[in-house]
Amino acid sequence: MYALVDAVAFYASAETVFDPTIRKRPVVVLTNNDGCICATSPEARKLKIPKFEPYFKLKPYLEQHNVIVRSSNYELYADLSSRMMNVIGRFCDNQYIYSIDESFLQFTGFASIIDDWHAYGQQIRLAVWRETKLPVGVGFGITPTLSKAANHAAKKLDGYNGVAVINDGYSANEVLAKMSVTDVWGIGGRLGKKLNILGIHTALDLKKQSPKTMRKQFSVVVERTVEELNGKICLSWDEVKQPKQEIFSTRSFGERITDVNELKSSLITHCSIVGKKLRHQGSMTKRLMIFAHSSPHEDNFYKRNFLYDFPVPTSDSRIMANAVSEVLPHIFNEGVRFYKAGLGAVDLCSEQFMQSDLFNTTSDNRKLMDSLDNINKIFGKGTLRLASEQQSQSWEMRRNFLSPRYTTRWQDIPKIQC
DNA sequence: TCTGGGGTCCTAGGACCC
DNA sequence: TCTGGGGTCCTAGGACCC
């Protein structure tokens, strides 16, 4: 049995944890640079506020309806996320944190002998609410995809009250019949349209398709989805948890950049982020994709990509930073107003099976990077960093509606007046 | 003033090789 | 009429998720 536990409108809910005055009001949270709307509270959803539309286009509508607007407060969300995950983890010894607000649980052996899953789900919800004031939905299913579907039902369909259980074909059909095909994990708007043409409208319709035909007409992803809806596990636990095949860090700038050193320091900051993620999952990269571009909404769109191959795979941020310095002249161009830049590790291998080079003398110093990670873990992000990382604040992202970092900054700790 | 997120995986098609 | 193989690697773009 699998479970998927995730928060209801996580970012929006997180904003309400320390500010109860906005709990019953429509709240939206914006992406980096206050660009788009990325989360909407249930009250905001009732106003039919679409997600991922540019903020400036919806601003008049939001003001008209007195909607609370917040910038992304990642410091707060990350901290609340780890508290929430800790609580959820107590309910199963096999937890996989899938994203900032979602975690899969796998129940095997004795753990799978729970006679009332509904009650167990309610216990999880109650514990998370008590300890974090975050509302979560719990979906149980015999495959990961079915647990996702159950989670959808738990939160979005009437009559489930936050918990849904799919433990056989019958309960699967009951839930899937009420779901649109695009509510299924892995089926988005584009595929949805094509499936509609074939007369497939509900998730149940999709379940009844032949997996082989779906593979031919669409892809291996759709085939697997159909199998999973039928109770056949394709995304095995190991597969769900598989290490990433590529790791990117990219950011658009709060203000356009025209200076070569600013571009360089931003790219090197991305090296640190990618390096840390690589080390965290025990991978190394043989190749780095480094890019920068102007605004795609402008005329004369300027974009440069550069692939850099390492002689020996690495996860050392400093070696990646050297690659950036080397490549920079090929990417930078005088007069271009850079809008976004970033890089990605695109050819990963496990550090366990790393092939070394007999003639390589500049081998990376893994211990140094581990110490850096540990120090930053204890004393906070950025305590120890590369000298060439981001110094100037001029292109820091715009966050005009930022709430206090209640749990991660001494100055912002909530004060109780007696 | 002028505004437009970030991350991951898959696939079709092109280039190139023998 | 007019036709032509098979494999690998690379890349851009598509699609999905939150």
Side-chain angles (χ1 to χ4, degrees):
Chain A
M1 187 63 112
Y2 294 88
L4 180 70
V5 187
D6 77 347
V8 178
F10 179 59
Y11 289 0
S13 298
E15 288 295 335
T16 68
V17 169
F18 290 97
D19 188 354
T21 61
I22 62 172
R23 265 188 209 167
K24 291 289 167 201
R25 298 189 55 190
V27 178
V28 300
V29 179
L30 309 179
T31 57
N32 282 340
N33 293 321
D34 297 335
C36 293
I37 292 171
C38 70
T40 52
S41 72
E43 290 75 16
R45 235 167 265 169
K46 279 184 202 139
L47 295 170
K48 302 235 184 311
I49 297 168
K51 280 210 234 170
F52 303 107
E53 282 287 314
Y55 166 60
F56 74 92
K57 285 187 179 171
L58 283 160
K59 198 174 166 195
Y61 183 80
L62 300 178
E63 280 170 357
Q64 190 191 331
H65 290 89
N66 266 323
V67 176
I68 309 287
V69 177
R70 293 277 191 261
S71 303
S72 283
N73 186 344
Y74 289 112
E75 294 83 351
L76 177 67
Y77 308 153
D79 186 61
L80 289 178
S81 167
S82 79
R83 289 163 195 247
M84 176 176 96
M85 295 307 180
N86 279 337
V87 178
I88 296 166
R90 294 206 303 260
F91 288 84
C92 181
D93 56 10
N94 204 350
Q95 177 187 30
Y96 175 57
I97 296 172
Y98 183 70
S99 74
I100 192 161
D101 81 318
E102 291 173 281
S103 90
F104 278 105
L105 305 174
Q106 188 191 31
F107 299 88
T108 51
F110 285 116
S112 62
I113 315 170
I114 288 174
D115 40 62
D116 191 345
W117 291 103
H118 283 98
Y120 201 64
Q122 292 299 351
Q123 278 182 42
I124 297 176
R125 293 186 68 219
L126 188 63
V128 176
W129 176 257
R130 247 188 217 145
E131 295 178 44
T132 66
K133 289 291 174 280
L134 288 165
V136 295
V138 185
F140 292 99
I142 40 186
T143 65
T145 304
L146 283 173
S147 72
K148 266 271 194 186
N151 179 279
H152 174 89
K155 295 195 306 186
K156 302 274 170 70
L157 300 182
D158 289 336
Y160 287 95
N161 193 24
V163 179
V165 180
I166 295 178
N167 49 7
D168 56 20
Y170 178 76
S171 50
N173 291 359
E174 196 190 327
V175 168
L176 298 180
K178 294 182 217 156
M179 286 170 57
S180 141
V181 71
T182 51
D183 293 332
V184 175
W185 192 27
I187 308 293
R190 303 292 179 98
L191 274 170
K193 274 195 187 122
K194 290 179 192 167
L195 290 165
N196 284 168
I197 292 169
L198 298 173
I200 301 161
H201 298 280
T202 67
L204 183 59
D205 293 338
L206 184 64
K207 182 191 171 210
K208 289 176 182 160
Q209 300 304 309
S210 137
K212 286 281 161 290
T213 315
M214 288 292 106
R215 185 193 191 123
K216 263 187 217 147
Q217 296 216 24
F218 300 102
S219 69
V220 61
V221 182
V222 181
E223 180 193 26
R224 266 190 245 150
T225 301
V226 174
E227 298 270 30
E228 285 252 322
L229 289 177
N230 282 286
K232 186 177 158 195
I233 295 167
C234 296
L235 302 162
S236 71
W237 191 241
D238 289 336
E239 223 161 317
V240 174
K241 288 169 50 168
Q242 260 191 9
K244 292 181 174 42
Q245 296 168 32
E246 51 186 46
I247 292 175
F248 273 79
S249 174
T250 71
R251 206 68 69 210
S252 43
F253 305 116
E255 279 168 36
R256 306 290 156 87
I257 279 185
T258 53
D259 180 81
V260 65
N261 289 315
E262 286 196 309
L263 181 62
K264 182 177 172 184
S265 69
S266 83
L267 283 170
I268 288 177
T269 306
H270 292 303
C271 289
S272 286
I273 296 169
V274 167
K276 184 181 161 195
K277 288 186 185 175
L278 281 172
R279 296 188 292 272
H280 183 71
Q281 76 161 21
S283 295
M284 296 180 134
T285 184
K286 288 177 225 164
R287 170 173 271 191
L288 218 49
M289 209 273 270
I290 305 167
F291 77 90
H293 60 77
S294 64
S295 167
H297 306 289
E298 265 169 30
D299 294 338
N300 307 323
F301 179 49
Y302 174 94
K303 177 169 186 174
R304 290 290 179 276
N305 278 0
F306 202 96
L307 284 170
Y308 186 96
D309 286 299
F310 295 106
V312 190
T314 185
S315 61
D316 189 316
S317 308
R318 297 168 305 155
I319 291 176
M320 290 192 264
N322 287 339
V324 164
S325 306
E326 210 178 312
V327 158
L328 196 66
H330 300 283
I331 290 176
F332 181 76
N333 207 332
E334 206 67 55
V336 174
R337 298 171 68 234
F338 286 96
Y339 166 83
K340 185 174 183 173
L343 50 86
V346 290
D347 191 357
L348 307 192
C349 57
S350 160
E351 60 190 8
Q352 255 178 303
F353 306 109
M354 202 266 281
Q355 184 77 48
S356 345
D357 183 344
L358 182 61
F359 302 105
N360 179 51
T361 50
T362 61
S363 72
D364 37 345
N365 188 337
R366 180 55 199 259
K367 278 190 185 141
L368 183 68
M369 284 291 121
D370 284 342
S371 307
L372 181 141
D373 290 338
N374 286 332
I375 289 171
N376 287 337
K377 195 175 170 188
I378 296 167
F379 296 101
K381 203 163 82 179
T383 302
L384 206 55
R385 56 170 191 248
L386 302 180
S388 44
E389 268 182 57
Q390 163 191 353
Q391 304 289 326
S392 119
Q393 305 291 306
S394 73
W395 47 269
E396 278 263 285
M397 59 178 146
R398 274 192 308 277
R399 293 202 282 182
N400 292 335
F401 315 103
L402 188 61
S403 50
R405 281 90 130 187
Y406 295 106
T407 58
T408 54
R409 278 177 114 204
W410 288 111
Q411 307 95 291
D412 289 357
I413 283 184
K415 296 175 187 69
I416 299 169
Q417 291 183 341
C418 304

